[in-house]
């Protein structure tokens, strides 16, 4: 009766939210399982950034709802961005949901589930859907629990949704996400996130540092600081000190924790990417040389329509200053092709900057209309064929660029943080500081160690090497 499976759609924030919910549920006595088939309760943590992501989750929820016909005690919940975006209207499509929980109410899920379970045990009439979608002051401080998989049951697997490790055999956790803030005050005209995630709210530096220390004491070596716009971290709450923004102060504090070897963050905004942050890359050796900096478009005209307050020149300036600080810097980005009114000339500007920067990794999205956003009202819809073609042009370029960059490492020895067995389970895998995936043969005792690996083979997606 108490086996819960959480399926996660979308971004790393969502993965982190799911992990925190799983940890809270486990502390209440629920067992977290890693397949939906063996679960008594399935929670879908959803994404609204594109229509496709919503349709996927709705399809899955519809499919799971049918299980209730056979098993009336089966519990189904939808949480996160789509719950927030669509609200109770979602029940028109999915009348059998037990639980609909928004992005500021994740911490209430254990109470809600306890109530549902109690009424199922009492075998009374089935309660109506619990709907909890309000904003809640301080909710940014509630995403702090972590699921340490070596402790008991096994974690949900956000990407695959299928179990790869038997009970207790999961290796120790080497990398972790920390959610440092919630919400977004930008007003990009294409984006639904300000609606789904609410106003920017930051956690106190001390709380985040305490969480990082706790993770380090459990063996975590690599921390990624998460927020919708991390460069806005604490801007309204905490003062600048010695010309350093609250975000840079936070990085310095995490940097001082002895067990932590690597620090990353996602996502910054070009507007808030100032010199103090560039200097941090030069001065702080644990801050990894890999920056994810969403560009969205290389055309100034489209950037204006998107309400992205920077130009292509300013973007290139940030890239150049980071390369001056750390010559081996790796860059990744988010791009939208087919924004309303995007012409071939606009796209050519995007293609050009994509090549100039030489992105090693990128998420390339075809524009998707989000009801309620300003762009949804804009003229100049781009045809599906044009979107597809532009998407493919960038994907081809990305493939060539990633491959070329990986091939530069052939014959070189790089420092790899060993994360665990690779997918097949015969080798180990880990990442370089630049976030390139490396496979190699080695003993499981190496997990959590920084080791030198000589690179022998390279593809666009990964590297293969030998421990030196
Ligand atoms: N259509 C396509 N992509 C979008 N993104 C955000 N909104 C949309 C949309 N309406 C992309 C942006 C953002 C990433 C998380 O999702 O590139 O950086």
């Amino acid at each position: 009766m108490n086996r819960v499976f959480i399926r996660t759609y979308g971004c790393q924030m969502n993965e982190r939210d799911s992990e925190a919910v799983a940890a809270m549920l486990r502390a209440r006595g629920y067992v977290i399982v890693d397949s939906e088939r063996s679960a008594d309760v399935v929670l879908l943590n959803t994404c609204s950034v594109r229509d496709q992501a919503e349709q996927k989750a709705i399809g899955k929820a519809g499919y799971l709802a049918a299980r209730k016909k056979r098993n009336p005690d089966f519990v189904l919940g939808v949480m996160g961005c789509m719950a927030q975006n669509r609200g109770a209207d979602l029940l028109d499509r999915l009348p059998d949901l037990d639980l609909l929980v928004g992005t500021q109410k994740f911490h209430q899920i254990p109470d809600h589930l306890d109530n549902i379970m109690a009424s199922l045990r009492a075998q009374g009439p089935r309660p109506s859907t619990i709907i909890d979608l309000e904003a809640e002051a301080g909710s940014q401080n509630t995403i702090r629990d972590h699921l340490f998989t070596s402790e008991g049951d096994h974690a949900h697997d956000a990407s695959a949704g299928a179990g790869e490790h038997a009970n207790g055999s999961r290796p120790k956790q080497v990398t972790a996400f920390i959610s440092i803030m919630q919400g977004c005050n930008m007003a990009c005209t294409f984006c639904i996130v300000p609606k789904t995630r609410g106003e920017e709210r930051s956690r106190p530096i001390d709380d985040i540092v305490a969480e990082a220390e706790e993770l380090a004491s459990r063996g975590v070596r690599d921390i990624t600081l998460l927020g919708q716009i991390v460069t806005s971290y604490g801007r309204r709450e905490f003062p600048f000190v010695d010309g350093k923004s609250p975000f840079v102060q936070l990085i310095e504090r995490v940097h001082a924790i002895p067990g932590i070897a690597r620090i990353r963050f996602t996502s910054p905004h070009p507007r808030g990417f100032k010199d103090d942050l560039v200097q941090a890359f030069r001065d702080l050796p644990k801050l990894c040389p890999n920056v994810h900096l969403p560009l969205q478009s290389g055309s100034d005209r489209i950037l204006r329509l998107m309400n992205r307050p920077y130009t292509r020149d300013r973007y290139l300036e940030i890239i150049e200053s980071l390369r001056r600080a750390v010559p081996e810097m790796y860059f990744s980005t988010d791009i939208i092709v087919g924004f309303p009114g995007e012409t071939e000339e606009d796209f050519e500007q995007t293609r050009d900057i994509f090549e100039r920067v030489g992105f090693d990794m990128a998420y390339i999205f075809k524009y998707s209309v989000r009801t309620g956003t300003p762009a949804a009202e804009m003229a100049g819809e781009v045809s599906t064929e044009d979107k597809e073609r532009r998407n493919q042009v960038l994907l081809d370029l990305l493939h060539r660029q990633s491959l070329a960059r990986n091939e530069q490492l052939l014959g070189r020895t790089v420092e790899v943080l060993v994360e665990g067995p690779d997918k097949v389970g015969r080798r180990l895998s880990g990442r370089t500081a630049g976030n390139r995936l490396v496979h190699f043969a080695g003993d499981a005792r190496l997990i959590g160690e920084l080791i030198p690996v000589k690179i022998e083979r390279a593809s666009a997606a990964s590297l293969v090497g030998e421990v030196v």
Side-chain angles (χ1 to χ4, degrees):
M1 272 289 283
N2 66 345
R3 293 144 57 91
V4 181
F5 174 68
I6 303 177
R7 169 146 196 136
T8 308
Y9 299 84
C11 65
Q12 290 153 319
M13 291 292 278
N14 286 7
E15 279 180 44
R16 175 68 196 107
D17 293 337
S18 293
E19 189 204 12
V21 169
M24 289 183 254
L25 287 174
R26 191 160 69 184
R28 281 286 176 95
Y30 291 89
V31 175
I32 307 302
V33 296
D34 56 10
S35 84
E36 77 190 30
R37 218 165 288 157
S38 59
D40 309 302
V41 178
V42 174
L43 301 175
L44 305 179
N45 191 10
T46 55
C47 170
S48 284
V49 113
R50 284 164 300 140
D51 187 52
Q52 203 188 17
E54 289 200 342
Q55 294 311 327
K56 251 202 217 162
I58 290 174
K60 174 61 89 180
Y63 168 79
L64 287 167
R67 198 197 284 187
K68 290 193 158 183
K69 305 234 157 56
R70 278 171 284 134
N71 175 7
D73 284 352
F74 177 64
V75 174
L76 178 60
V78 168
M79 57 184 184
C81 286
M82 184 173 71
Q84 200 72 53
N85 185 33
R86 298 225 180 174
D89 289 351
L90 206 53
L91 298 176
D92 297 341
R93 290 281 297 274
L94 300 166
D96 290 329
L97 290 186
D98 298 286
L99 197 54
L100 189 64
V101 177
T103 54
Q104 305 198 27
K105 294 291 188 179
F106 289 116
H107 57 290
Q108 300 289 0
I109 287 175
D111 280 352
H112 292 324
L113 266 191
D114 283 353
N115 288 335
I116 292 169
M117 292 305 177
S119 55
L120 287 178
R121 272 194 299 274
Q123 295 191 331
R126 187 147 189 122
S128 53
T129 314
I130 295 176
I131 301 172
D132 197 358
L133 301 167
E134 299 297 297
E136 183 178 318
S139 65
Q140 72 274 20
N141 299 319
T142 63
I143 303 298
R144 45 161 206 261
D145 299 337
H146 289 262
L147 198 59
F148 283 93
T149 50
S150 52
E151 280 171 1
D153 55 24
H154 33 166
H156 76 286
D157 186 330
S159 53
E164 283 158 13
H165 304 281
N167 252 358
S169 73
R170 227 168 232 259
K172 74 177 171 199
Q173 190 184 332
V174 177
T175 65
F177 294 139
I178 298 182
S179 183
I180 65 168
M181 62 191 298
Q182 291 283 340
C184 179
N185 287 5
M186 304 302 291
C188 304
T189 54
F190 51 80
C191 191
I192 198 71
V193 169
K195 177 180 175 194
T196 63
R197 290 282 180 172
E199 298 264 310
E200 276 169 18
R201 294 147 291 141
S202 298
R203 297 175 61 195
I205 292 184
D206 285 345
D207 287 10
I208 298 167
V209 171
E211 186 175 328
E213 282 169 342
E214 162 76 9
L215 289 166
S217 77
R218 303 238 191 186
V220 169
R221 311 291 315 275
D222 178 321
I223 280 184
T224 303
L225 305 173
L226 295 180
Q228 265 82 31
I229 307 278
V230 290
T231 36
S232 300
Y233 170 80
R235 281 197 182 243
R236 282 171 311 161
E237 291 95 338
F238 316 120
F240 274 59
V241 175
D242 299 333
K244 288 174 189 160
S245 61
F247 184 53
V248 170
Q249 296 168 43
L250 170 66
I251 293 172
E252 290 183 342
R253 291 277 306 277
V254 176
H255 196 270
I257 301 171
I260 300 300
R262 291 178 171 180
I263 303 168
R264 309 174 195 277
F265 57 79
T266 196
S267 292
H269 192 294
R271 193 193 59 161
F273 216 112
K274 299 285 159 57
D275 282 347
D276 61 330
L277 188 51
V278 175
Q279 275 172 31
F281 279 94
R282 203 188 48 209
D283 299 340
L284 303 175
K286 297 178 184 179
L287 192 52
C288 289
N290 119 247
V291 170
H292 181 78
L293 190 58
L295 168 65
Q296 312 300 1
S297 171
S299 152
D300 287 344
R301 198 180 71 83
I302 296 294
L303 286 171
R304 265 197 310 280
L305 289 172
M306 289 176 162
N307 196 26
R308 301 276 298 176
Y310 53 90
T311 59
R312 58 183 278 124
D313 284 349
R314 172 62 192 144
Y315 187 93
L316 285 168
E317 223 173 81
I318 299 169
I319 299 288
E320 283 318 309
S321 61
L322 282 164
R323 281 226 165 94
R324 275 196 302 277
V326 183
E328 276 226 284
M329 189 69 91
Y330 285 78
F331 290 105
S332 59
T333 197
D334 291 347
I335 304 273
I336 297 176
V337 296
F339 185 83
E342 185 187 72
T343 62
E344 280 305 315
E345 293 74 57
D346 291 317
F347 175 67
E348 173 53 26
Q349 297 270 296
T350 301
R351 200 204 55 75
D352 173 74
I353 194 170
F354 198 90
E355 201 168 2
R356 267 180 213 231
V357 177
F359 292 110
D360 305 286
M361 229 292 287
Y363 297 100
I364 301 157
F365 302 101
K366 287 172 271 184
Y367 172 71
S368 167
V369 180
R370 309 285 57 216
T371 308
T373 61
E377 312 295 322
M378 289 181 190
E381 190 188 338
V382 175
S383 71
T384 310
E385 299 80 71
D386 282 342
K387 281 186 200 166
E388 292 284 356
R389 187 171 36 76
R390 291 172 192 174
N391 186 48
Q392 199 54 50
V393 167
L394 294 184
L395 285 176
D396 291 347
L397 201 51
L398 177 62
H399 182 87
R400 285 204 297 278
Q401 289 174 180
S402 315
L403 181 62
R405 190 76 194 267
N406 271 354
E407 283 175 340
Q408 284 174 13
L409 293 176
L410 286 171
R412 283 176 52 190
T413 297
V414 293
E415 187 175 60
V416 172
L417 176 61
V418 187
E419 290 181 13
D422 67 7
K423 286 252 161 62
V424 196
R426 253 178 272 135
R427 289 179 301 187
L428 296 176
S429 64
R431 280 169 196 279
T432 67
N435 213 18
R436 309 308 293 198
L437 182 62
V438 187
H439 304 287
F440 46 92
D443 191 283
R445 274 173 303 192
L446 292 174
I447 294 169
E449 302 291 323
L450 287 160
I451 58 162
V453 175
K454 185 167 182 213
I455 302 303
E456 292 166 340
R457 277 188 286 142
S459 71
S462 64
L463 300 157
V464 178
E466 194 171 309
V467 181
V468 179

